[in-house]
Amino acid sequence: MNLIFLGPPGAGKGTHAVRLAHELGIPQISTGDMLRQHVRRQTALGVEAARYMDAGKLVPDDVIIGMVRERLQQPDCAKGYVFDGFPRTLAQAEALSTFADIHAVVNLLAGDDVIIRRLSGRRVCPACNGTFHVRYLKDPAICPDCGGALVQRADDAEETVLNRLTVYHRQTEPLIAYYRQLGLLRDVDSAGEVDANYLDIKKALNLA
Ligand code: ADP
Ligand code: ZN
């Protein structure tokens, strides 16, 4: 199954995409994670991308499309994949349609107020790639899964969060109409609790 998770930053795309991909035994493809790896390794792509990411802006389409096209050629994608954070513009969606066949698009719904609350409290673990909210942590600095040190992503700072939301509304939201028209969209409310959301997603995909 070839899936896309769509929704504003902080709607839970990452959390659910990782879980679902794991359950289905197919890779989760997060363009954000791929970009952050490039930034960490300081590749040419990473150095260019960091300028956009730190400002909460989108990395140029040609960079992203090339990266994804290459990723889909890896053998682990043969049985399917779950996109998380891609496509994010109409140009990316149109390019994708020329080299991939998408079966369903999960559209996670969450209002701006929920997003801002979630992202400003978000902490990530660079060691195991886990994502947590300070509200649910015993110790806000320690990863409950692996004991690693938690950090706040640079782009989760409040001003950048507001930028990312504006970018989402302007550039990514049009994809909702695009995929709805293709009959692929599955709306799922993501304001509530994580496990309940996950079950709703599986139901929307006829997997539960
Ligand atoms: P979130 O969904 O929480 O905003 P991501 O990890 O998906 O976080 O993305 C982080 C940043 O990486 C984005 O703000 C953007 O700069 C860049 N990025 C990720 N995916 C894309 C994409 N498909 N197109 C353009 N930029 C992207
Ligand atoms: Zn960890």
Side-chain angles (χ1 to χ4, degrees):
M1 193 144 60
N2 304 335
L3 303 171
I4 291 172
F5 272 79
L6 202 62
K13 297 189 297 291
T15 305
H16 295 306
V18 167
R19 190 160 163 186
L20 187 63
H22 188 252
E23 202 176 317
L24 297 175
I26 56 179
Q28 169 238 11
I29 303 178
S30 158
T31 43
D33 284 347
M34 291 167 81
L35 291 169
R36 278 185 289 278
Q37 263 177 35
H38 277 282
V39 172
R40 231 175 288 136
R41 298 203 314 261
Q42 299 214 308
T43 66
L45 193 157
V47 171
E48 196 204 340
R51 299 205 318 255
Y52 298 94
M53 295 168 78
D54 290 345
K57 293 184 185 158
L58 293 184
V59 173
D61 286 332
D62 53 336
V63 174
I64 301 286
I65 292 164
M67 202 173 71
V68 168
R69 189 198 286 269
E70 208 172 281
R71 178 68 186 86
L72 289 189
Q73 280 159 13
Q74 302 296 312
D76 65 334
C77 293
K79 278 195 294 182
Y81 41 81
V82 181
F83 278 125
D84 159 16
F86 174 87
R88 253 178 160 93
T89 64
L90 274 176
Q92 290 177 17
E94 279 161 6
L96 178 67
S97 74
T98 68
F99 57 82
D101 195 12
I102 297 301
H103 302 130
V105 179
V106 176
N107 181 34
L108 294 178
L109 307 166
D112 286 5
D113 50 335
V114 175
I115 299 303
I116 292 166
R117 223 180 310 128
R118 280 193 192 156
L119 290 184
S120 54
R122 180 159 77 174
R123 298 293 180 271
V124 295
C125 175
C128 74
N129 216 16
T131 300
F132 311 93
H133 194 282
V134 282
R135 194 159 20 119
Y136 302 112
L137 290 167
K138 244 193 237 143
D139 183 331
I142 293 175
C143 175
D145 288 352
C146 78
L150 295 177
V151 296
Q152 182 172 40
R153 267 169 46 178
D155 61 354
D156 281 345
E158 184 162 346
E159 202 185 286
T160 312
V161 167
L162 296 179
N163 262 338
R164 285 157 69 203
L165 266 175
T166 307
V167 167
Y168 167 77
H169 288 306
R170 198 177 303 150
Q171 308 208 62
T172 308
E173 218 164 31
L175 293 184
I176 295 175
Y178 175 87
Y179 284 116
R180 201 185 297 284
Q181 201 168 30
L182 292 174
L184 296 175
L185 206 73
R186 311 278 182 272
D187 286 315
V188 178
D189 190 342
S190 81
E193 193 265 327
V194 182
D195 287 341
N197 285 171
Y198 184 66
L199 193 59
D200 287 341
I201 290 169
K202 288 186 40 173
K203 282 184 191 149
L205 293 171
N206 297 323
L207 294 170

